[in-house]
């Protein structure tokens, strides 16, 4: 046998062995992977998940099929259990909120720090820089593999009582908040009465007037018709933004071939970029068409001046200082530095 023939035979044998290994690895693949989401399409959150699932299916030629489970339905709607359920393998993958996962990963509270991020460039300076990598390391250490960032958006204030331009305007107002103690601390510092409840409970409470207001990204306003729940006043104050994180259960991840791992990671990065653009649509354009749409419902939209915003910053500074210790002084300092240096 000639040397050329020997090389040909060995190459063919190696190729066959690699194909056999890949086929064996893929025989461990599940027919379907379960992705948990709080909000489904058409929200930016749900769209981020849908784009990721579609890209993965297309790029793996159907080897990895992902089904979306919005409303955290895999854990009976309990958002606080989502992170643990991913770690335990009840959930295979997720696009999750930094707020919801902050009880398990304290560093995620960074994004809820009042008035830390004054604009979208500040958000990007954190998620796309060293701070983002440090937070990914913390998520990884907590037992879940992070792949990419997306966005749910800045949480803005709505209420049924009056235009809010100063902390005094919030005094005694009953505001629905999510279950993070940082949110309760912040609204208490502003003189409001924070009331923690699920969104399912919040809607009838807003409609009946049992609760005066709430805070959420503005894409929710027309989607949920919040003006029909008595929300006649909106204040854009940009007090915190909620980045979203694409994650995979570690056992699921290790069951995939390195080639498929690379595909899933890149698909998450690509879907995250699209998700960020969707979350900011209507708010980054000069005329802010989303604010015009909301005003069209007969709603008073208040955009704070820098001086008005500063009054809220000052009122919440003790909360900021308290939580800086909890989150980690070094991490918060690094975040402040990154934001100060943003272009």
């Amino acid at each position: 046998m000639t040397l050329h023939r020997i090389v040909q035979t060995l190459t063919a044998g190696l190729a066959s062995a690699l194909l056999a290994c890949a086929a064996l690895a893929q025989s461990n693949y599940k027919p379907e992977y379960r992705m948990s989401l709080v909000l489904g399409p058409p929200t930016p959150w749900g769209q981020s998940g849908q784009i990721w699932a579609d890209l993965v299916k297309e790029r793996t030629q159907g080897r990895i099929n992902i089904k979306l489970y919005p409303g955290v339905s895999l854990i009976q709607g309990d958002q606080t259990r989502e992170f643990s359920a991913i770690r335990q393998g009840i959930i295979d993958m997720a696009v999750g909120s930094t707020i919801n996962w902050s009880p398990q990963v304290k560093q995620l509270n960074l994004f809820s720090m009042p008035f830390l991020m004054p604009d979208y460039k500040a958000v990007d300076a954190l998620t796309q820089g060293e701070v983002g990598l440090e937070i990914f390391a913390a998520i990884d250490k907590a037992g879940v593999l992070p792949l990419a960032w997306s966005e749910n958006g800045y949480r803005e204030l709505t209420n049924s009582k009056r235009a809010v331009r100063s902390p005094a305007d919030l005094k005694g107002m009953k505001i629905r908040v999510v279950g993070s103690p940082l949110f309760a601390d912040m609204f208490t510092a502003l003189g409001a009465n924070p009331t923690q409840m699920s969104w399912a409970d919040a809607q009838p409470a807003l409609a009946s007037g049992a609760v005066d207001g709430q805070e959420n990204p503005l894409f929710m306003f027309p989607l949920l018709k919040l003006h029909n729940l008595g929300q006649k006043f909106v204040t854009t104050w940009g007090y915190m933004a909620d980045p979203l994180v694409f994650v995979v259960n570690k056992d699921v991840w290790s069951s995939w071939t390195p080639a498929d791992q690379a595909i899933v990671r890149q698909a998450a990065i690509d879907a995250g970029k699209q998700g960020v653009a969707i979350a900011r649509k209507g708010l980054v354009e000069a005329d802010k068409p989303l604010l015009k749409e909301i005003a069209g419902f007969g709603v008073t939209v208040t955009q704070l001046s820098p001086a008005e915003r500063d009054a809220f910053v000052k009122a919440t500074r003790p909360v900021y200082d308290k939580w800086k210790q909890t989150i980690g002084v070094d991490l918060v300092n690094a975040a402040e530095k990154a934001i100060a240096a943003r272009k």
Side-chain angles (χ1 to χ4, degrees), residues 120 218-219 236 276-294 303:
Y120 288 117
L218 286 180
F219 71 78
T236 63
V276 168
I278 293 165
R280 297 179 184 182
K281 192 172 186 291
L283 294 167
V284 288
E285 301 85 348
D287 60 340
K288 298 187 177 178
L290 182 53
L291 296 186
K292 284 186 173 176
E293 184 186 354
I294 292 168
Q303 299 182 65

Side-chain angles (χ1 to χ4, degrees), residues 52 55-56 59-60 63 258-268:
W52 188 23
L55 288 176
V56 168
R59 294 175 184 179
T60 62
R63 288 188 299 278
D260 281 343
Q261 288 175 351
I263 287 170
V264 173
R265 186 187 295 275
Q266 189 58 50

